[in-house]
Amino acid sequence: MVKSCCCASSAYYQLGYIYQDWGKYQPALDYYQQSLQLNEQLGKETNVADLWYNLANCYRQWGKYEQALEAQQQDLTIRQRLDDQPNISDAYYQLGRIYQAWDNYTEAIAHYEQSRKIYETLDLQQEVANQLSCLAACYRDSKDYTKAIEYYQSSLELHQALDNNKSAARRLRQLSNTQRLQTKNYSSQEAKALLQKAEQNLQQVIQLDTAGDYRQNLAYDQISLALLSAEHLRWLPEDDTSLPNHIALFKQYYTKGFAYFKELGQAVDKAEEALKIARAYLEISPLENLEQAETLAHQSLQTFQEFNCRKLEASAYKLLGEIYLARAHRQESGAIATACQFLNTSLQHYRELDLTEKAAEVEQLI
């Protein structure tokens, strides 16, 4: 009987994992719940805690943040009762991820810090480096680029000290991306100098990833190169002779990046990066191509709908609305109505997800 329950529990867990990976969150939750109930009957507290963690992760991906927090708190409570310090730290990390996804960066930072401190006490330096990166991502998302760069640099140095080239390359790329984003806050000369640093960092990244044949890293590297080329274009004068070269490189890099993602079977990651490329086609004058921006945005939207990525779906609708606002400036017939339709759909999604700042951004466009 016990063996039968264990087998059933494992089968339910595997089914939950498959459905979650597929973006079918309700059946995933149902199977995780069945596995959890069997493990409770068997008195397997560690397995019960693991399943609360999985439930929280599933709710977070689905954009149901309150339920995610409730499930993760259950996991944390069991870990604390068992005095399981590594998994207590992991639970705080998961809480940070939920708050970050919910755009509550203050709470996300607080929980990542709690996680980092426990890992420091346990001398788990690889995990410390990862938490420094999570903190950097929070500061980046909240547009505090100076602090984000500081934390990415600390994470990078620790990964390098641990001889973890794959993670070091990833941090160096994230550092380069943040430097690129920071240029928007600077004057032309300062921006160009920072873009040069970002490019130097990215070249180091590509050397590391090529040497290690880190295929997923290389996919993101190519997108980063494309966006860096686009940002160079933002600052170049209209008569600059290097414009055609940067435009050609932009397309060459992102096309190669998309090919890597397709080879790896990472449809959602590709779609998320495609939105960034679409935005470059919308916002950067030498690249402006509303048709290509719209094609990429629609393709991304379709993928997000297929995999039930609600937050990303909302961002795709927002971008499509902005593209049609740009069409309206060209006096295209019906563009305003279409823009409003896309933006209202985005607004509805953000409100359902309780993402108030994102909703406010859309409201300003309507």
Side-chain angles (χ1 to χ4, degrees), residues 166-351:
K166 187 174 185 179
S167 292
R170 192 177 295 122
R171 298 299 167 258
L172 197 53
R173 183 183 66 250
Q174 290 164 332
L175 175 62
S176 173
N177 288 343
T178 308
Q179 289 169 326
R180 170 177 53 79
L181 291 169
Q182 194 177 33
T183 61
K184 295 174 185 177
N185 298 334
Y186 288 167
S187 66
S188 176
Q189 285 304 112
E190 290 173 318
K192 288 176 183 177
L194 195 55
L195 284 175
Q196 189 173 11
K197 286 183 183 178
E199 188 166 3
Q200 289 168 354
N201 285 332
L202 205 46
Q203 291 303 328
Q204 289 182 56
V205 172
I206 291 165
Q207 288 176 11
L208 287 168
D209 287 334
T210 302
D213 196 26
Y214 305 134
R215 309 292 283 181
Q216 184 174 14
N217 278 10
L218 286 166
Y220 283 106
D221 294 346
Q222 295 300 316
I223 301 300
S224 293
L225 281 168
L227 294 172
L228 193 60
S229 293
E231 201 59 38
H232 276 297
L233 286 164
R234 190 191 297 273
W235 296 98
L236 290 176
E238 292 180 6
D239 58 352
D240 194 288
T241 57
S242 68
L243 278 172
N245 184 53
H246 279 295
I247 293 170
L249 285 173
F250 170 73
K251 187 169 184 179
Q252 176 187 320
Y253 289 140
Y254 83 70
T255 301
K256 192 173 180 181
F258 287 174
Y260 273 124
F261 282 122
K262 185 177 180 180
E263 175 190 320
L264 294 164
Q266 295 179 313
V268 174
D269 292 333
K270 177 189 172 186
E272 189 171 1
E273 296 307 300
L275 276 192
K276 298 174 187 176
I277 300 300
R279 186 164 289 283
Y281 274 124
L282 170 66
E283 294 183 349
I284 296 176
S285 295
L287 288 173
E288 186 174 315
N289 185 332
L290 299 185
E291 290 74 20
Q292 183 65 4
E294 184 176 357
T295 296
L296 289 169
H298 271 299
Q299 289 172 350
S300 295
L301 176 61
Q302 185 176 356
T303 299
F304 299 147
Q305 289 172 331
E306 181 182 348
F307 287 89
N308 206 3
C309 304
R310 298 170 72 211
K311 187 176 180 182
L312 290 171
E313 194 178 330
S315 67
Y317 277 120
K318 177 175 180 283
L319 180 56
L320 284 164
E322 291 175 83
I323 291 166
Y324 271 86
L325 286 177
R327 290 187 182 282
H329 289 145
R330 294 180 176 181
Q331 306 298 314
E332 291 189 21
S333 176
I336 283 286
T338 304
C340 287
Q341 182 180 351
F342 281 130
L343 291 171
N344 279 316
T345 304
S346 176
L347 180 60
Q348 180 183 349
H349 279 54
Y350 281 134
R351 284 174 173 168

Side-chain angles (χ1 to χ4, degrees), residues 1-18 27-52 54-55:
M1 179 66 179
V2 171
K3 184 177 180 180
S4 175
C5 285
C6 287
C7 290
S9 171
S10 178
Y12 286 138
Y13 165 78
Q14 290 296 333
L15 284 165
Y17 184 84
I18 291 165
L29 291 166
D30 292 342
Y31 282 118
Y32 283 145
Q33 286 282 6
Q34 289 180 75
S35 183
L36 186 149
Q37 289 166 10
L38 285 174
N39 277 287
E40 284 181 330
Q41 292 171 20
L42 294 166
K44 294 190 172 185
E45 278 200 291
T46 299
N47 289 359
V48 171
D50 288 343
L51 283 154
W52 279 119
N54 291 331
L55 284 162

